Structure formats: C-alpha cells, structure tokens
Amino acid sequence: MEDFSEDAQGLQHQVLGAQILQAVTPQGLPLLYLSPLSVAGQPARGGVPLLFPQFAQFGPGRKHGFARHHPWVLEHAEPQSLSYRLDVLPGQFEGWPHAARLRLKATLASETLKLQWQVENTGQTGFEWGGGLHPYWAVPSLEACELLGLEHTPGLDSLSGQPLLPQAQPWRFGPEGMEYLFEGLPALQLRTPTHTLHLQGSGFTQWMVWNPGLEGAKGLADLPDHDALRFICIEPVCARPMQWLAPGAGFEGTLQVRWEGA
C-alpha cells in the first residue's frame, strides 16, 4: 500500500485491485474511510474496492471475485484523475474461462467525485458477471447519520433473508451489523453531522448498504472494533441476477458523488 497523508488533496490509490484508498476534496474533506490496520500486499479495508466477477455470495465463485486481489495496469494518474485497466485471459483465474477487459476511471473535481466502471467481453464466449463499486464513506458517527432516498425502495435484509419494509422516515443506523440490498438505483443523500453526500448512479442495478456493526468488526482482523461506527458502505452494484455480456459487448456503470457543508 502506498503511504500518504489524508491532508494531501486528491486521489490516493494502489495498483493491487486498482483500489482508490482515499479522496480528499479541495476543501480538505477525506471522503473515504481507510482502516489503520490495512495490510500491505492485501486489498485494503476501506477506500473503494472493485468487485468482479461476482458481488458477495451472489454467484458460484469466490466471494467478491478475483479482481481486487490482482495488480492492475495504471494507464494514467494525476492528483485529481486516474485510469486503471485489467486484461483478463481465459483460464487466468480459477473457475473463470473467459476473456474480459476491466477499466476504472476516476475524476475528483471541486465539488464532485466521479467513478466510471467498465466491463468489456473481449473473448469468443458470453458470460455472466456481477460486482461493482464498494466505497467506504467516512462519517464522524454512524449513529448520527441518516440516509434519504430508499424509504420506499424494495429491499432485502441479506443477513436475515427477510424483505425490508417501506418506512416513512429516512434510514437511521445503530451499532448492529447490516447488509441491505435495495432494488433499483434512486438518487440518495447521506447526511452526517458535518456534511452531506449526494450519490447518483447509472448502469448498476442495486444499492447495497453495509456495515459490520460493532460485534461483526471483532471478527475482522484488519478493522479496529470501534471503527465500525466511522464509515458506511453505500455501494452501486450488480448483485442479482448476474448480468449477461455477449462477445464484444460492454457495460458501463457510474457513481457521481457531490458534497456540501464540508
């Protein structure tokens, strides 16, 4: 993992998994959480992991796929923009007999962060895939945040297997773990005690809202127990059903984040 200071404006990243580790706005706001226990040579706990060819357990392969465990090619890098590429060969990864090209582009502007995630089928056979972006949004206190935009969106509590009931109020969160998968990609607002994030996605099919909770954090060696209350993962994904990509076809999903009050 590259060393960096959160005081430095711009994008910090590592070639392993093309993972953005931090994005510091021109106003000095660190948008992302990064665990101090993240281990060099491993996907970091925090930032923006990239997930392919499946999201979580929604598929036949390795949880979250192989892309975050492999070095990517850095095509372009400036303090406010970057581009990574990964060319996957048939049989390069166990259980994946297909050819694909993955690309991540990121741009940090005065008021927005934009991520572009591309999947191209470069082989002769079609394939099913899932995955997406897994950002850890930094918050002063999870219990003091509220999330607007999902009140009436159908969803599933993946931990219990039960549907999520519509509610009149914004979503609020306690110290318990959560893994909520919402259908569709409505615009969201994450209100924290210090700032508000406006999240807008395209291309992806669901929002995942995740946090391990204080008890769950105890089982994660790379996360301090109480740091579970310092972030929330609000992720644009293609979880289920998996997406079909014919030979020569491509997919693009985007996430644009605008902040205010920082």
Side-chain angles (χ1 to χ4, degrees):
M1 184 183 308
E2 298 178 3
D3 294 327
F4 67 91
S5 168
E6 287 192 355
D7 295 329
Q9 295 179 11
L11 298 167
Q12 291 84 39
H13 48 97
Q14 63 180 16
V15 297
L16 181 66
Q19 187 171 1
I20 296 173
L21 301 174
Q22 185 55 274
V24 181
T25 74
Q27 298 82 11
L29 173 69
L31 294 176
L32 301 168
Y33 169 82
L34 181 65
S35 171
L37 302 182
S38 294
V39 179
Q42 299 290 333
R45 174 69 62 184
V48 187
L50 304 181
L51 313 181
F52 180 91
Q54 78 176 49
F55 178 78
Q57 72 278 15
F58 299 106
R62 180 181 190 175
K63 180 180 180 180
H64 287 331
F66 53 72
R68 63 179 181 150
H69 297 276
H70 194 75
W72 291 43
V73 174
L74 180 61
E75 297 182 308
H76 163 83
E78 295 183 5
Q80 280 75 39
S81 65
L82 61 82
S83 176
Y84 274 101
R85 187 190 79 250
L86 178 64
D87 289 306
V88 180
L89 301 177
Q92 182 179 1
F93 299 98
E94 184 178 357
W96 184 258
H98 310 289
R101 175 171 293 153
L102 314 179
R103 182 171 274 117
L104 173 73
K105 298 179 181 179
T107 304
L108 183 66
S110 59
E111 295 181 350
T112 60
L113 170 65
K114 184 174 182 180
L115 305 179
Q116 295 171 271
W117 164 249
Q118 298 173 343
V119 181
E120 181 184 357
N121 185 340
T122 56
Q124 302 301 312
T125 59
F127 58 75
E128 287 188 321
W129 72 277
L133 308 175
H134 188 6
Y136 287 65
W137 303 112
V139 300
S141 169
L142 178 60
E143 295 173 297
C145 295
E146 59 180 13
L147 181 61
L148 293 77
L150 293 170
E151 294 85 355
H152 303 290
T153 302
L156 172 72
D157 183 338
S158 295
L159 297 178
S160 68
Q162 298 300 311
L164 296 170
L165 299 177
Q167 57 181 42
Q169 302 299 320
W171 282 94
R172 301 293 299 268
F173 309 105
E176 302 82 12
M178 57 182 160
E179 190 172 312
Y180 300 158
L181 183 65
F182 293 92
E183 296 298 329
L185 213 66
L188 306 180
Q189 289 185 40
L190 175 63
R191 294 180 179 172
T192 84
T194 57
H195 62 280
T196 297
L197 297 183
H198 300 265
L199 293 89
Q200 182 79 47
S202 68
F204 299 103
T205 55
Q206 290 117 357
W207 288 113
M208 171 62 81
V209 179
W210 178 81
N211 184 279
L214 290 179
E215 285 300 315
K218 294 178 181 178
L220 300 174
D222 57 357
L223 180 67
D225 294 352
H226 289 281
D227 273 20
L229 300 181
R230 295 185 55 205
F231 68 85
I232 182 171
C233 294
I234 306 173
E235 318 162 35
V237 299
C238 295
R240 60 169 199 173
M242 299 183 80
Q243 305 295 297
W244 175 258
L245 208 58
F251 164 90
E252 179 171 293
T254 68
L255 174 62
Q256 182 165 296
V257 185
R258 179 174 60 86
W259 54 86
E260 61 182 10

